[in-house]
Amino acid sequence: QVQLMQSGAEVKKPGASVNVSCKASGYTFTRFAIHWVRQAPGQRLEWMGWINTGDGNTKYSQKFQGRVTITRDTVANTAYMELNSLTFEDTAVYYCARLGPGYTNGWAYWGQGTLFTVSS
Amino acid sequence: QSALTQPASVSASPGQSITISCTGTSGDVGGYNYVSWYQQHPGKAPKLVLYDVSNRPSGVSNRFSGSKSGNTASLTISGLQAEDEAEYYCSSYTSETIPWVFGGGTKLTVL
């Protein structure tokens, strides 16, 4: 079965960087893009960016452009999201997600979420 | 970019039906049949309940249905059950610089 397993919670100071991993299993990793979505406490979901796991091409939300980098390791079947220059407003749960098979849209598979807290 | 507008809360009794609206613009909901809906229980990851406006993923109850008219998409849940109590989010593809946008979420309370 398809699974996306994310790295654990982290606490970072303002200005620091954080790297979250998302290990995929149960399917051919390079056939489906991985998206990153975050949810700040009590806030709506927010799309951050995606990576074509086949060729490594990425697209980022303009809001995070310049601060976020999404990469992948096709040997480890893992996608990574790095967010730099953290502020308190980056405190959120970060999810990786994948479309369903043959779906035009609709993230059918989600990681369990990674909470990172920005605190001084 | 503009986010999608949902009512903050809805409530109904078990067995009843509810409809949650999701209003956008011609640049997102109205322009594409790429609306999806997610159910989220506290502390859990979102779960996809509808994609491409009205399609149900395998395993999702047929009590969940979707439609779209103009710039507004709707999620209907019939025969409400206690386990339906959750936050529901809509999402749409958009022509703006952020390809996907979400609604603010609707808290469904089953009385």
Side-chain angles (χ1 to χ4, degrees):
Chain A
Q1 71 283 19
V2 174
Q3 285 193 324
L4 300 174
M5 189 61 65
Q6 299 181 223
S7 49
E10 302 208 41
V11 179
K12 295 288 185 180
K13 293 188 182 302
S17 298
V18 67
N19 198 312
V20 183
S21 66
C22 172
K23 183 172 177 58
S25 61
Y27 71 99
T28 302
F29 179 67
T30 52
R31 288 191 58 198
F32 295 89
I34 292 289
H35 297 248
W36 288 90
V37 176
R38 80 174 187 180
Q39 187 171 36
Q43 301 298 310
R44 70 180 69 205
L45 298 160
E46 185 172 32
W47 183 84
M48 299 181 68
W50 71 332
I51 185 165
N52 180 323
T53 50
D55 61 16
N57 284 336
T58 54
K59 183 174 178 65
Y60 304 122
S61 164
Q62 192 173 46
K63 177 176 179 177
F64 301 101
Q65 194 82 37
R67 283 210 303 141
V68 66
T69 304
I70 301 174
T71 57
R72 95 291 190 219
D73 179 338
T74 58
V75 174
N77 289 344
T78 301
Y80 304 90
M81 188 280 296
E82 181 180 32
L83 188 62
N84 302 316
S85 304
L86 295 174
T87 71
F88 297 119
E89 288 68 40
D90 292 318
T91 294
V93 177
Y94 290 74
Y95 295 100
C96 60
R98 201 211 87 176
L99 294 179
Y103 293 8
T104 312
N105 84 313
W107 295 288
Y109 303 101
W110 294 72
Q112 81 275 23
T114 297
L115 169 65
F116 63 81
T117 304
V118 181
S119 173
S120 55
Chain B
Q1 90 293 356
S2 300
L4 308 177
T5 300
Q6 299 180 231
S9 63
V10 296
S11 61
S13 299
Q16 293 185 322
S17 297
I18 61 95
T19 296
I20 299 172
S21 61
C22 171
T23 301
T25 68
S26 59
D28 40 62
V29 173
Y32 307 92
N33 286 326
Y34 297 154
V35 177
S36 51
W37 290 90
Y38 301 86
Q39 176 192 67
Q40 188 178 36
H41 289 106
K44 300 293 187 181
K47 174 189 175 183
L48 179 67
V49 294
L50 291 174
Y51 67 96
D52 294 351
V53 176
S54 59
N55 293 300
R56 279 188 308 276
S58 175
V60 172
S61 170
N62 59 9
R63 298 185 298 106
F64 291 82
S65 61
S67 63
K68 191 186 83 166
S69 177
N71 297 335
T72 298
S74 298
L75 166 69
T76 297
I77 309 174
S78 59
L80 276 175
Q81 300 178 1
E83 60 261 33
D84 298 331
E85 184 164 295
E87 193 85 19
Y88 290 84
Y89 292 92
C90 63
S91 176
S92 175
Y93 181 79
T94 170
S95 58
E96 297 190 14
T97 55
I98 300 176
W100 283 273
V101 289
F102 287 91
T106 298
K107 169 66 177 172
L108 168 61
T109 300
V110 180
L111 301 171

